């Protein structure tokens, strides 16, 4: 199965920048500890503290799908509507096969 790379873009609602920062960073350690995780990192835009990018890599689609139902991510997504101006924009890619 091919490796999965996901990129999520988040935009904090006005006044929620600190809470989004706290939540984005709180997902890093538990996500990295999940089976099949290769990397998981949250980045904030250097000139816009409301703009975030989450970059994650997974060994395969099954590991990524399991992450999407993990308790820490489910809880964060449930809080999102009050903290973000829109749902996260997510882009999911798979590594091409070497065939």
């Amino acid at each position: 199965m091919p490796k999965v790379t996901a990129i999520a873009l988040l935009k904090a609602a006005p006044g929620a920048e600190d809470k989004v920062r706290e939540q984005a960073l709180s997902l890093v350690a538990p996500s990295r500890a999940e089976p099949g995780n290769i990397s998981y990192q949250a980045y904030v835009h250097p000139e816009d503290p409301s703009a975030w990018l989450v970059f994650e890599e997974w060994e395969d689609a099954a590991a990524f799908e399991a992450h999407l139902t993990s308790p820490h991510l489910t809880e964060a997504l449930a809080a999102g509507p009050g903290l973000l101006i829109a749902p996260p924009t997510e882009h999911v890619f798979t590594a091409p096969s070497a065939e």
Side-chain angles (χ1 to χ4, degrees), residues 1-6 28-41 43 55-64 67 93-95:
M1 296 181 86
K3 180 173 83 170
V4 174
T5 299
V28 174
S31 296
R32 286 183 180 166
E34 290 182 56
N37 180 261
I38 298 168
S39 69
Y40 189 100
Q41 185 62 51
Y43 298 92
F55 179 85
E56 51 193 286
E57 294 178 292
W58 300 89
E59 290 179 0
D60 54 35
F64 178 64
H67 167 67
F93 300 85
T94 56

Side-chain angles (χ1 to χ4, degrees), residues 19 23 26-27 68-81 83:
K19 184 65 177 166
Q23 191 169 66
S26 76
L27 293 172
L68 295 178
T69 62
S70 65
H72 56 274
L73 183 61
T74 302
E75 183 180 315
L77 291 174
L83 300 176

Side-chain angles (χ1 to χ4, degrees), residues 38-56:
I38 298 168
S39 69
Y40 189 100
Q41 185 62 51
Y43 298 92
V44 64
H45 192 284
E47 297 172 8
D48 181 358
S50 70
W52 284 83
L53 178 145
V54 176
F55 179 85
E56 51 193 286

